[in-house]
Amino acid sequence: HPDVRREAMTEAMAGVGEPGGWDVIFEFLNDPDPALRAEAYGFAAKKTKGLETLDAALGSRYPDLRKAAVDGLVKKHTAAAQKLLTRALDDEEKGVRLAALEALVDADALPALRTAAENPHADVRVRAARALAGHGDPAALRPLLALATAAEPDEEERRKGWASLAESAL
């Protein structure tokens, strides 16, 4: 029941200074109610200055909160934030991983982009490799060639995505 969990969260917020208080708040980042998740995230983001809240939100099972964490990390412009953004490149949710990738591209984070060019997600590989190619980095060639020469899939529903990736790689 969301109303009962809200009461528990309010008590946790009041006792955040107690041992384990932050752990309880961070547990609410996985609450099934989006309003409670957002409230817990907003509270934690306001009360902490480091990356611990963003790191915890990035580990949420809910993509809305992971995306909020990426948006928060984009504003940080630090090596530690870029490390967390690199972790977000493996996210199962396309919007989360591409938002993280765009932040790394915008920051010209070449080491992170070289790692991303080997990512298991083709959408991340192609965008990272294209960014590297824009810098004249030879690390871009292998992933771009692999994507451009990938065999056409047999399944009709996968062909549009395949063609888009191949075109982008070219």
Side-chain angles (χ1 to χ4, degrees), residues 94 122-123 125-126 143-170:
K94 184 177 183 174
D123 54 353
R125 283 195 314 272
V126 72
L144 289 174
L145 278 175
L147 289 163
T149 60
E152 183 176 354
D154 293 331
E155 301 86 7
E156 180 68 34
E157 63 273 3
R158 293 183 55 217
R159 286 189 190 136
K160 184 177 178 182
W162 164 82
S164 176
L165 283 171
E167 181 181 337
S168 189
L170 289 170

Side-chain angles (χ1 to χ4, degrees), residues 32-163:
D33 184 323
L36 288 176
R37 275 195 309 273
E39 191 175 333
Y41 176 71
F43 173 83
K46 193 182 305 181
K47 295 289 184 181
T48 60
K49 299 296 179 210
L51 297 177
E52 57 273 356
T53 296
L54 297 170
D55 186 19
L58 203 56
S60 174
R61 73 183 94 176
Y62 296 99
D64 62 327
L65 205 53
R66 295 193 309 267
K67 175 68 168 69
V70 166
D71 293 344
L73 288 165
V74 167
K75 298 174 186 171
K76 294 292 185 183
H77 305 291
T78 65
Q82 283 186 354
K83 186 176 179 183
L84 290 174
L85 285 169
T86 301
R87 192 177 97 205
L89 296 177
D90 293 327
D91 199 279
E92 63 199 38
E93 185 69 29
K94 184 177 183 174
V96 173
R97 64 179 180 261
L98 292 182
L101 181 59
E102 284 308 313
L104 294 169
V105 168
D106 291 346
D108 288 330
L110 295 180
L113 292 174
R114 286 185 195 103
T115 301
E118 303 298 324
N119 190 281
H121 298 286
D123 54 353
V124 171
R125 283 195 314 272
V126 72
R127 180 65 181 105
R130 287 179 58 205
L132 289 171
H135 286 282
D137 192 318
L141 183 60
R142 193 172 56 77
L144 289 174
L145 278 175
L147 289 163
T149 60
E152 183 176 354
D154 293 331
E155 301 86 7
E156 180 68 34
E157 63 273 3
R158 293 183 55 217
R159 286 189 190 136
K160 184 177 178 182
W162 164 82

Side-chain angles (χ1 to χ4, degrees), residues 1-45:
H1 298 287
D3 53 334
V4 174
R5 292 194 313 274
R6 180 172 303 286
E7 273 189 50
M9 186 173 66
T10 302
E11 287 182 32
M13 288 175 175
V16 76
E18 301 294 321
W22 279 111
D23 294 337
V24 175
I25 296 296
F26 288 159
E27 283 181 35
F28 281 100
L29 299 179
N30 281 312
D31 195 273
D33 184 323
L36 288 176
R37 275 195 309 273
E39 191 175 333
Y41 176 71
F43 173 83

